[in-house]
Amino acid sequence: MYIRKMFTQQKFILLVAILSLVMVLQACSTGNSETGNANESEEETPKDGGTLKIVTLSDATSLDPHFITNIPSANVLYQKVYETLVTFDEDMNIVPKLAKEVEQIDDVTWQFTLNSGIKFHDGTPFNAEAVKTTFDRLLDPETGSPQRDKVSMIKEVKVVDDTTVHLILSEPYAPILSILSSQEASIISPKVINEDEDSLAKHPVGTGPFSFESWESGNAITLNKNEDYWGTPAKVDKVVFEVIPEDATRLAMIETGEAHISDNVPVSELDRIKNSDNLNLTRTEGLAVEYVGFNTQKAPFDNVDLRKAVSHAIEREAIINGIYNNVGTLANVTMSPNVFGYTDKVQPYEYDINKAKDLVKKSGVNPDTEITLITSDRKERISMAEVIQSQLKGIGLKVNIQVLEYGAYIEMVDSGKHDMFIGGWGNATGDGDYNQYNLFHSDSFGSPGNHFYYSNPEVDKIIETARKEPNEEKRKELYEQAQTIEKEDAVAIPIRNYENLAVYGNNVKDFWLSPVNYLMISDATVK
């Protein structure tokens, strides 16, 4: 449908009407059961205005979409401050946004017809030149963006006229619209890029329903309603993302009405949430996978036999049941079952303590070698680290746990100084290329996502071939081949397919949680 062909005007109008109805119904289902019909509810009790407070575990690390590499940072901005040419609906279908029409001219040329009359928050007009300026910056090697490789297939951005732009690729790239729907492709004010691009790290300027007000590092980020928004305006006047590291405090703030939503829900508190009259839970099948990863280029885990030994020694089921309270499902690969390219034919190493001990001996690594396992300061991950520490002690390995604040954790894995880590990859597109290229291609070392520092020329070639393969079945076969080799190389131990959770109070309704784990709040209202 939309991915391959240009919409006729009639089909586009019908699609927008259908999507609008679906979004209204879905938004209602996220709020409390008294929401009822949205229009009727607004007429009876107007709910517009006020401040929506979202309490979160971790602060953002940057507000520049070309340098954001984590979901907590992107969540503050995606479809709030910044918008994209196309975007995802709640079911991860690609739908129009800043572009009202898309046509694939040939295998490597995509034409975008833009909505007119849109302005950035600084008053700069949105047009084809703004699109070109954004992508030229992202693609410029001197920019140094860790997101560059995600769009490196774009050879040229050509302005046809004020409302028409062509993206010309160097070769066919099957999931091009999916990457253009993700936060990496956010369209930025050309005035800021040309005059003070460094300011974007702390002061974003987009076209979205909210504009940036302030960032008190370590405390809160505040957004204001964009009164001149080109689309349907936001319902609330202000949004505050407040950093509250303590799980119990976040829940208490929701329960008392001091805050409205938290997307960091401790699984140990599910019973409390269920039994509370003032707490509600929304659950969405996610696109992310949690895993234990190895730095494959740093001793001792440059040794594949030791990586296999650890893979056999970790009892993954115990982690899912005992730590995660069965939230999410047991992963078999580092790609979610909800992502294109997933396979169930590749299975992880089974738990086998005797085989693990044999492989430790085979590796030749001294059992007295101290290993550091790093994790972010999420409660569940700390507990997982402690379980892994105990399990690896059973095969003679001494593991030291290092718990880091989220920003420090990101810096550590980006720098490659770690031995072993607990990580997760939140797929932002629903396509396997976002997993495979970013996690396993040798061009993605560090901040783009390859924290394994894994390099295998055969895997690189398979991933590159899959990117440009138009046949979906052949692409799936290629991803299965890549994942088979990655398993043989024991790069990571898949633990859990995510289930995204958000807890909210009775005083908020009409938001939704995306499979990527973004809070979508344009229609949210607060009492």
Side-chain angles (χ1 to χ4, degrees):
M1 66 181 227
Y2 180 72
I3 294 179
R4 301 289 182 192
K5 306 289 184 181
M6 181 180 74
F7 283 123
T8 63
Q9 188 65 24
Q10 293 86 348
K11 285 182 179 178
F12 178 69
I13 292 170
L14 176 60
L15 175 65
V16 171
I18 293 170
L19 285 172
S20 298
L21 176 59
V22 170
M23 293 297 285
V24 168
L25 293 174
Q26 288 171 333
C28 289
S29 68
T30 309
N32 61 52
S33 60
E34 298 175 359
T35 300
N37 179 278
N39 293 329
E40 179 182 321
S41 175
E42 289 173 6
E43 290 174 4
E44 291 176 358
T45 32
K47 298 289 179 70
D48 290 10
T51 297
L52 174 65
K53 182 180 282 191
I54 299 166
V55 285
T56 185
L57 171 66
S58 304
D59 199 4
T61 56
S62 173
L63 299 182
D64 184 339
H66 292 170
F67 288 87
I68 290 174
T69 58
N70 58 82
I71 296 298
S73 299
N75 186 37
V76 175
L77 304 177
Y78 181 72
Q79 306 304 343
K80 302 172 186 74
V81 174
Y82 284 117
E83 297 178 303
T84 46
L85 294 175
V86 287
T87 190
F88 297 110
D89 66 11
E90 195 167 354
D91 297 316
M92 292 299 288
N93 298 310
I94 297 172
V95 296
K97 196 64 179 182
L98 291 173
K100 63 181 179 180
E101 199 170 79
V102 181
E103 180 182 3
Q104 186 174 6
I105 304 296
D106 55 41
D107 285 347
V108 295
T109 306
W110 290 80
Q111 176 173 288
F112 295 82
T113 304
L114 310 178
N115 285 297
S116 57
I118 299 174
K119 291 185 181 297
F120 290 92
H121 301 146
D122 61 2
T124 306
F126 164 76
N127 52 29
E129 192 62 46
V131 175
K132 177 175 172 58
T133 301
T134 290
F135 283 105
D136 282 354
R137 178 194 186 232
L138 179 55
L139 290 164
D140 185 351
E142 292 190 7
T143 301
S145 169
Q147 305 291 13
R148 180 178 181 271
D149 283 340
K150 294 184 176 71
V151 294
S152 60
M153 72 297 300
I154 300 176
K155 181 175 70 174
E156 180 186 0
V157 183
K158 182 179 179 182
V159 174
V160 178
D161 57 41
D162 216 35
T163 58
T164 310
V165 64
H166 285 175
L167 296 190
I168 301 169
L169 312 184
S170 57
E171 59 187 8
Y173 179 63
I176 182 64
L177 290 186
S178 67
I179 195 67
L180 293 178
S181 301
S182 66
Q183 78 87 24
E184 293 88 338
S186 297
I187 306 300
I188 303 169
S189 166
K191 180 180 179 181
V192 182
I193 291 176
N194 292 326
E195 296 180 2
D196 188 14
E197 64 177 338
D198 290 343
S199 69
L200 290 166
K202 295 184 177 180
H203 192 119
V205 183
T207 58
F210 296 99
S211 62
F212 175 79
E213 178 184 298
S214 64
W215 182 11
E216 300 172 50
S217 184
N219 183 27
I221 296 173
T222 301
L223 311 178
N224 290 322
K225 177 180 178 178
N226 177 8
E227 298 291 352
D228 299 318
Y229 182 56
W230 63 278
T232 303
K235 302 292 180 62
V236 295
D237 295 329
K238 193 180 292 285
V239 181
V240 177
F241 290 84
E242 185 172 355
V243 180
I244 304 292
E246 300 81 13
D247 293 340
T249 305
R250 289 196 307 275
L251 280 180
M253 291 175 71
I254 302 293
E255 199 160 25
T256 61
E258 184 182 349
H260 303 101
I261 305 171
S262 175
D263 58 350
N264 300 109
V265 182
V267 296
S268 59
E269 300 292 341
L270 292 185
D271 287 341
R272 174 186 169 186
I273 295 169
K274 181 180 179 181
N275 294 324
S276 172
D277 292 333
N278 299 318
L279 296 175
N280 307 278
L281 189 69
T282 184
R283 307 172 77 136
T284 304
E285 287 188 17
L287 304 181
V289 173
E290 197 157 30
Y291 47 77
V292 177
F294 306 102
N295 186 337
T296 63
Q297 295 201 4
K298 182 174 179 286
F301 289 116
D302 55 349
N303 186 310
V304 67
D305 287 321
L306 186 64
R307 298 199 299 268
K308 288 180 179 179
V310 173
S311 300
H312 280 296
I314 293 179
E315 192 175 5
R316 302 174 313 117
E317 291 86 348
I319 292 171
I320 293 289
N321 298 333
I323 295 173
Y324 282 101
N325 201 16
N326 293 312
V327 173
T329 57
L330 195 65
N332 63 296
V333 289
T334 56
M335 191 181 297
S336 162
N338 297 312
V339 171
F340 176 88
Y342 165 80
T343 178
D344 61 2
K345 295 179 181 177
V346 179
Q347 292 297 319
Y349 293 101
E350 74 277 11
Y351 175 67
D352 189 327
I353 198 74
N354 292 322
K355 188 174 290 186
K357 289 178 179 178
D358 290 342
L359 283 163
V360 171
K361 291 179 182 177
K362 182 181 177 183
S363 74
V365 173
N366 188 331
D368 293 330
T369 301
E370 293 194 13
I371 297 164
T372 299
L373 170 61
I374 70 167
T375 179
S376 63
D377 53 359
R378 273 178 46 193
K379 182 178 179 181
E380 292 88 357
R381 288 195 176 178
I382 296 171
S383 298
M384 190 197 306
E386 291 169 348
V387 169
I388 291 170
Q389 181 186 51
S390 175
Q391 291 177 342
L392 296 189
K393 185 178 180 180
I395 60 170
L397 298 179
K398 182 178 181 181
V399 176
N400 299 315
I401 298 170
Q402 186 176 6
V403 179
L404 299 170
E405 177 273 328
Y406 188 71
Y409 166 84
I410 292 294
E411 288 180 13
M412 177 72 83
V413 291
D414 282 354
S415 68
K417 297 176 181 178
H418 56 290
D419 298 337
M420 185 166 65
F421 66 105
I422 297 175
W425 185 251
N427 189 298
T429 66
D431 190 273
D433 180 70
Y434 199 91
N435 275 77
Q436 288 294 301
Y437 195 92
N438 296 310
L439 286 180
F440 299 105
H441 196 281
S442 56
D443 283 347
S444 298
F445 282 1
S447 55
N450 187 347
H451 296 141
F452 315 113
Y453 292 84
Y454 172 66
S455 180
N456 184 318
E458 184 180 0
V459 171
D460 284 355
K461 184 177 180 180
I462 293 170
I463 293 170
E464 290 161 7
T465 302
R467 291 188 122 190
K468 55 190 176 185
E469 173 56 61
N471 183 289
E472 290 191 350
E473 290 306 313
K474 289 182 180 179
R475 285 189 76 214
K476 289 180 181 178
E477 291 173 6
L478 288 165
Y479 288 136
E480 185 176 312
Q481 290 175 29
Q483 290 171 89
T484 299
I485 298 170
E486 291 152 13
K487 183 247 176 117
E488 291 170 354
D489 287 341
V491 183
I493 305 167
I495 301 293
R496 183 177 73 106
N497 299 310
Y498 272 53
E499 182 180 11
N500 301 327
L501 307 177
V503 61
Y504 62 99
N506 296 333
N507 51 0
V508 61
K509 64 178 183 178
D510 295 347
F511 73 94
W512 52 282
L513 187 63
S514 81
V516 182
N517 206 22
Y518 293 142
L519 285 169
M520 308 305 286
I521 57 173
S522 292
D523 294 326
T525 58
V526 296
K527 292 181 182 177

